[in-house]
Amino acid sequence: MNKIENKVDKSEFRQKCEETDQRITTLETKQAEILQKNTETLQEIVKQNATIQTDIAWIKREIDRKTKN
């Protein structure tokens, strides 16, 4: 153990650990933001898809109604 302690700069090691922790935290934060944006985008797509399906159903009914008359 003494050999390792003599070869490792503890303050530099701690600094590198802190820098790594900060990078990981930043990445996790960014990932959460991206996931939130993706979720919001998917929800908007679902709403638009529902609207389109409703419009298509309405158009089909109108076509059927006009062709029967």
Side-chain angles (χ1 to χ4, degrees):
M1 187 73 167
N2 192 20
K3 290 180 182 178
I4 293 175
E5 288 181 7
N6 290 336
K7 292 185 178 185
V8 174
D9 182 347
K10 291 180 185 178
S11 63
E12 182 181 349
F13 177 77
R14 284 188 191 110
Q15 179 184 359
K16 294 295 182 183
C17 286
E18 289 173 7
E19 289 172 2
T20 302
D21 286 346
Q22 184 60 43
R23 287 176 49 212
I24 290 170
T25 300
T26 301
L27 289 171
E28 289 171 340
T29 301
K30 292 294 182 185
Q31 182 184 33
E33 291 172 3
I34 290 168
L35 287 173
Q36 180 62 34
K37 285 288 187 184
N38 285 346
T39 299
E40 291 170 4
T41 301
L42 288 172
Q43 288 172 343
E44 186 61 33
I45 290 170
V46 167
K47 288 179 190 175
Q48 289 177 359
N49 194 22
T51 301
I52 290 169
Q53 288 176 357
T54 301
D55 290 348
I56 290 171
W58 181 83
I59 291 168
K60 284 182 180 179
R61 282 194 307 270
E62 286 298 307
I63 291 171
D64 288 344
R65 187 178 63 83
K66 288 182 181 185
T67 56
K68 289 181 182 177
N69 289 338

